[in-house]
Amino acid sequence: MLTGVQVCCVNVRQRWVFAAMCFLGLFHAYAMRACLSIVMTKMVPPIESDVTLDDSCPSTTAEIHSSTNTTLHSEELYDWSEHTQGLILSSFYWGYVVTHLPGATIAEKYGGKHTYGLGIFLTAIFTLLTPLSITWGNSTGLIVTRILMGLGEGVTYPAINVLLSQWIPPDEKSRISTFVYAGQLLGTIYANSVSGIILQHSDDWSSVFYLIGGNSAIWYILWLALCYNNPREHPFISKFERDYLSQQLSEHTHKKPPPTPWKHVLKSKPLWAAIIAMLGFNWSLLTIVTDLPKYLSSVLKFSVENNGYVNSLIYLCMWIGSFITSWSADYVIAIKLLSTTSVRKIGSVLALSSSATFVIVASYIGCDQVLVIVMFAVAMSLMGSSYPSVMVNTLDLSPNYSGTIMALSNGISAGITGILSPYIIGVITPNQTLSEWRLVFWILFTVSVAANLIFVMFGNGEVEYWNEPDFALKDKSKKVNGSRSANSADNTA
């Protein structure tokens, strides 16, 4: 039977099978992460504020009718304050940051296949348990479950970077990595659309978690069957593709690199520039992913179904932007029109400063729903260039330690933004008014532009000197010889 599968699959490019499965992994990971934001708009009663109507948007007749038809019965609503909702949405990241570095260490030592797969599978299990945790523990039960989900999903990005470094040749790095990373966008689109449709036609919000969690568990079974740590372990890969990848990846990616040279890693200016750029990107993206549904529902008065459709639209725009810019980036680098460093920095300007500008414009348009959505769509289209710039930059700097570098950059940036952003938004938007949310978007703008400035000044798209095994071994030998010399001097004295 195995021989038959080999014959069937030998002519299929296994790096694209791998990329598709990694894409679907992030697709399901972000669907599980994002669906709560839409579901919560129907689990919690709307705010009745005494703030003057000059700072609030009126509800249209259609939206009022739609909202009335889909509002849950009062006994099914949860009286969670804006502060409590902020804690719930940020609690995922309390667990998320904890497993980044352990996940990177395990993936680099033993391979990324099971690290990545088990991380998503555990997240699926806790997603399926979410309705039960709310029934038993209310907001506290949900917070605990979200923390456990974060612990599972925290290993995904470090593990996926380890896998990409083993499978993707340099001349395909931007477009394949962007394709994989864009799984989070389409997963968010899926979560928003499906959640909106289910909640529009049913009061059973728990079915959202069962559907998305169940599909993620099915993905895990396929992942185990189809994907492997590297081309050398793959039983179905053609000899031509295995030899090609070995030749392309041999220069900077090695089978067993020495332990991470932490002293040099932590002193690297390009690495810290990448971390700060990721902080700006994650602050923008996670603010939109986590809290835009609330803004559209509470401020612009969108119905739950239209809320899901609009969120899906803007993430689709981001995906299209990422697709166009990633292919453009690889082409420009391949023909040597611009250096890798220049391409990454130009992409960061579009992804951070330019997109944040359109978010600010959207906040001053007021209650014109169509124009606001157009501005968010443009902003997210520009933000798509983050994937072939600040996201892929961790692979540029160090293919050998890509898991550790991603653990540092995404762990620090997503940890700070994921924990602080929902909490801050919950504190400063108690009445869900335009002026309160305008402050939220000004914070987003400030963080994004400052992060972009630092990346343009100190970022780099070339492999760092400490990536090479020879350097790490020489550095270790130098320390040992220095220690021996010191001991010899002490003995002579």
Side-chain angles (χ1 to χ4, degrees):
M1 181 177 178
L2 182 61
T3 303
V5 174
Q6 288 176 322
V7 171
C8 173
C9 299
V10 72
N11 292 322
V12 177
R13 290 188 179 182
Q14 292 304 315
R15 65 183 181 276
W16 280 103
V17 175
F18 155 81
M21 289 303 297
C22 284
F23 163 87
L24 289 172
L26 283 183
F27 176 96
H28 287 102
Y30 269 76
M32 291 185 285
R33 185 190 305 195
C35 64
L36 179 63
S37 296
I38 291 289
V39 173
M40 194 179 287
T41 63
K42 284 292 124 183
M43 292 174 64
V44 180
I47 291 177
E48 298 181 5
S49 173
D50 294 330
V51 178
T52 60
L53 291 178
D54 292 338
D55 203 24
S56 301
C57 295
S59 299
T60 66
T61 303
E63 299 292 353
I64 293 172
H65 179 70
S66 177
S67 177
T68 302
N69 288 342
T70 58
T71 301
L72 301 179
H73 300 297
S74 59
E75 65 268 16
E76 296 174 319
L77 294 175
Y78 295 88
D79 191 19
W80 297 334
S81 66
E82 290 299 311
H83 176 266
T84 299
Q85 293 177 56
L87 288 176
I88 291 170
L89 292 174
S90 69
S91 60
F92 175 91
Y93 298 93
W94 304 351
Y96 187 68
V97 298
V98 172
T99 50
H100 263 64
L101 273 177
T105 302
I106 294 169
E108 287 174 350
K109 187 172 182 178
Y110 301 105
K113 172 179 177 175
H114 293 298
T115 311
Y116 183 57
L118 284 171
I120 294 178
F121 179 67
L122 289 174
T123 309
I125 295 299
F126 291 117
T127 300
L128 291 169
L129 292 174
T130 296
L132 187 62
S133 70
I134 297 173
T135 301
W136 283 0
N138 206 289
S139 61
T140 303
L142 180 55
I143 287 172
V144 171
T145 303
R146 295 288 289 183
I147 292 172
L148 294 173
M149 286 177 63
L151 288 171
E153 202 168 308
V155 305
T156 53
Y157 268 115
I160 214 168
N161 253 31
V162 171
L163 291 165
L164 287 171
S165 70
Q166 295 289 332
W167 276 97
I168 308 305
D171 61 346
E172 299 176 1
K173 186 193 304 180
S174 292
R175 59 181 181 270
I176 293 185
S177 298
T178 297
F179 169 74
V180 170
Y181 294 145
Q184 65 172 287
L185 300 177
L186 295 187
T188 305
I189 292 172
Y190 165 70
N192 286 325
S193 300
V194 168
S195 300
I197 292 170
I198 290 175
L199 294 174
Q200 177 71 16
H201 300 287
S202 171
D203 288 348
D204 184 17
W205 52 262
S206 63
S207 58
V208 173
F209 298 103
Y210 295 143
L211 175 64
I212 293 176
N215 287 341
S216 302
I218 293 172
W219 168 88
Y220 176 63
I221 297 171
L222 295 175
W223 172 259
L224 290 178
L226 297 175
C227 295
Y228 296 82
N229 289 318
N230 53 64
R232 299 182 302 277
E233 297 181 9
H234 203 299
F236 312 141
I237 194 170
S238 67
K239 184 178 184 302
F240 172 80
E241 186 177 15
R242 182 185 290 112
D243 292 344
Y244 169 75
L245 292 175
S246 176
Q247 179 185 8
Q248 291 290 312
L249 296 168
S250 60
E251 183 178 0
H252 295 301
T253 304
H254 303 84
K255 293 180 182 179
K256 292 185 178 180
T260 305
W262 283 107
K263 176 183 176 182
H264 299 276
V265 169
L266 296 176
K267 289 170 61 177
S268 172
K269 288 183 180 178
L271 173 58
W272 283 106
I275 292 172
I276 292 171
M278 282 284 286
L279 191 151
F281 166 58
N282 274 320
W283 189 281
S284 297
L285 182 62
L286 296 180
T287 296
I288 302 299
V289 168
T290 306
D291 289 289
L292 184 61
K294 181 179 290 295
Y295 177 73
L296 296 179
S297 173
S298 301
V299 178
L300 295 183
K301 313 300 183 183
F302 278 84
S303 70
V304 64
E305 186 175 28
N306 289 339
N307 197 332
Y309 290 148
V310 168
N311 274 274
S312 298
L313 170 65
I314 65 171
Y315 295 119
L316 180 62
C317 290
M318 186 175 178
W319 177 74
I320 293 172
S322 71
F323 180 80
I324 294 171
T325 54
S326 65
W327 281 82
S328 301
D330 272 345
Y331 177 74
V332 168
I333 292 171
I335 65 173
K336 301 188 186 316
L337 181 62
L338 292 172
S339 68
T340 303
T341 299
S342 297
V343 169
R344 303 305 184 223
K345 290 183 178 181
I346 292 170
S348 75
V349 172
L350 295 174
L352 297 174
S353 298
S354 300
S355 75
T357 300
F358 279 94
V359 170
I360 285 294
V361 172
S363 73
Y364 280 91
I365 288 175
C367 299
D368 187 331
Q369 293 182 339
V370 174
L371 198 52
V372 168
I373 297 310
V374 169
M375 291 299 103
F376 273 115
V378 174
M380 295 299 278
S381 298
L382 292 170
M383 200 183 294
S385 62
S386 58
Y387 292 103
S389 57
V390 298
M391 282 288 287
V392 80
N393 190 231
T394 55
L395 284 170
D396 293 328
L397 298 178
S398 180
N400 278 328
Y401 305 106
S402 56
T404 297
I405 302 310
M406 178 57 86
L408 286 173
S409 60
N410 194 60
I412 293 173
S413 60
I416 292 174
T417 59
I419 292 171
L420 289 182
S421 176
Y423 179 77
I424 290 173
I425 291 172
V427 170
I428 65 180
T429 60
N431 300 303
Q432 295 291 308
T433 63
L434 287 168
S435 59
E436 290 172 347
W437 275 94
R438 196 169 291 137
L439 177 58
V440 169
F441 295 134
W442 270 113
I443 294 173
L444 180 153
F445 177 85
T446 303
V447 172
S448 295
V449 172
N452 188 199
L453 179 62
I454 291 172
F455 186 74
V456 169
M457 292 173 61
F458 301 108
N460 197 340
E462 306 302 324
V463 176
E464 284 285 87
Y465 65 91
W466 40 262
N467 174 74
E468 306 307 326
D470 289 346
F471 166 79
L473 292 173
K474 289 177 182 177
D475 188 55
K476 182 178 180 181
S477 176
K478 183 178 178 181
K479 292 178 181 177
V480 171
N481 291 334
S483 177
R484 286 177 179 172
S485 298
N487 290 337
S488 177
D490 290 341
N491 292 333
T492 302

